[in-house]
Amino acid sequence: MSVPPAAIRVLVCEDQALVRAGFVTILSAQPDMELVGEAADGRTGIRKAEELKPDVVVMDIRMPLLDGIEATRHLAGPGSLSPAKILVVTTFNVDEYVYEALRAGASGFILKDAPPPELISAVRTVARGESLLDPAVTRTLIGRFGERVRPSAAAPSPERDRLKALAPREHEVLLLISEGLSNAEIAAELMISPETVKTYVSRILTKLDLRDRVQAVVLAYRAGLAGASGWTG
C-alpha cells in the first residue's frame, strides 16, 4: 500500500485582509495543501516561517513593518542556513521591487490578480523546488526596468565575466530563459528537443553556480544580456 505524499505546507504573507483571505480560501481548499499560517507584515512572516517551517511562503512585496523584499532576503538570501521557498505575488507597477525580490532569493513570482488555477500551480511548482517565472511579468521587467540595471558596454562587469564560461549555444539558451520562455518554447525557437534544452539549462546553472532559473534571469540582467540581442560578451 503506497503512502500518499505529504501535503504542501503553505504560509501566506499579505497585508490586505481581503486578498489574504482569498489566497487562504483558494489554497486551503486544495487536497494536497495545508495552510499552516498567515501574516499581515514582514516581521510576523519571518517569525512564523521560522516557527512553522512551511514548504512554500506566498509573499506580498509591499507590507508594513518589514516589506516582502527584506523578509525574502532574511528567509531565502545567501546568509540563510535553510533557505525558504518564496513565491512572490506582485502587480505590474512594481517592476523594480520584483527584481529586488528575485535578487533577494525568491523562487519565482506571479501576478496578484492571476486566476486561482495559476496560483495553485505556482505553489506546486515552487514546492517541487522549481523556479517560476511568469513570462508576461518577465518581459515587462526587461522592457521597463532592464535598461536601468544593464551595464554599459564599456563598464566592467563581474557578471559579464562569469558568462564567458558559457558556450555560444548556452548563451542563446540563457537569453531565451531571461525573456521568460519555457523549455518547450526555447526548443521551438532553437529547433531542438525539450530534453536537449533541459540539458543546456542544467549546464548553465552548474557552470554559473546558480540555484535556479530565477537566479539565471537576475544574472542575465546584471550582465547586460537580458534584452540585449546580439550581445556577444
Side-chain angles (χ1 to χ4, degrees):
M1 180 177 177
S2 61
V3 178
I8 300 169
R9 294 165 51 81
V10 183
L11 170 67
V12 173
C13 300
E14 163 65 56
D15 68 318
Q16 297 181 52
L18 287 177
V19 175
R20 187 172 68 252
F23 288 164
V24 168
T25 299
I26 292 167
L27 298 175
S28 61
Q30 306 312 306
D32 61 339
M33 296 184 191
E34 177 187 358
L35 202 292
V36 297
E38 306 174 36
D41 62 79
R43 288 181 184 172
T44 302
I46 289 174
R47 178 175 57 79
K48 290 197 173 184
E50 292 177 339
E51 173 189 342
L52 300 170
K53 307 296 183 185
D55 298 308
V56 177
V57 179
V58 177
M59 182 79 74
D60 185 22
I61 289 181
R62 290 180 170 175
M63 292 188 293
L65 299 184
L66 190 71
D67 64 32
I69 296 172
E70 288 304 317
T72 295
R73 185 172 289 113
H74 183 93
L75 294 172
S80 303
L81 297 178
S82 181
K85 296 172 183 175
I86 310 290
L87 174 65
V88 169
V89 290
T90 184
T91 56
F92 271 126
N93 62 350
V94 288
D95 300 336
E96 183 170 353
Y97 298 112
V98 172
Y99 175 80
E100 292 300 331
L102 296 180
R103 286 190 63 195
S107 294
F109 55 89
I110 189 171
L111 296 179
K112 188 173 288 190
D113 59 356
E118 288 188 18
L119 173 64
I120 295 165
S121 176
V123 170
R124 289 172 178 154
T125 297
V126 171
R128 289 195 302 267
E130 301 173 16
S131 60
L132 180 78
L133 298 174
D134 185 307
V137 180
T138 301
R139 293 175 181 127
T140 300
L141 278 169
I142 292 171
R144 295 184 182 179
F145 188 58
E147 291 297 331
R148 282 182 277 161
V149 299
R150 184 179 302 124
S152 67
S157 169
E159 291 83 5
R160 186 177 294 152
D161 289 340
R162 289 175 66 184
L163 296 191
K164 293 178 180 178
L166 301 182
R169 180 63 99 178
E170 292 165 349
H171 272 284
E172 291 182 80
V173 172
L174 178 58
L175 175 59
L176 296 175
I177 291 173
S178 73
E179 292 177 350
L181 272 64
S182 66
N183 283 1
E185 291 170 330
I186 293 172
E189 178 74 18
L190 299 180
M191 292 183 290
I192 57 179
S193 71
E195 291 74 19
T196 300
V197 174
K198 187 175 180 180
T199 298
Y200 277 125
V201 172
S202 178
R203 287 177 184 171
I204 290 167
L205 298 181
T206 298
K207 285 185 176 182
L208 300 179
D209 192 25
L210 301 173
R211 182 190 63 208
D212 53 33
R213 294 167 77 104
V214 171
Q215 289 192 343
V217 170
V218 172
L219 178 63
Y221 284 155
R222 296 183 63 79
L225 179 61
S229 57
W231 183 83
T232 59

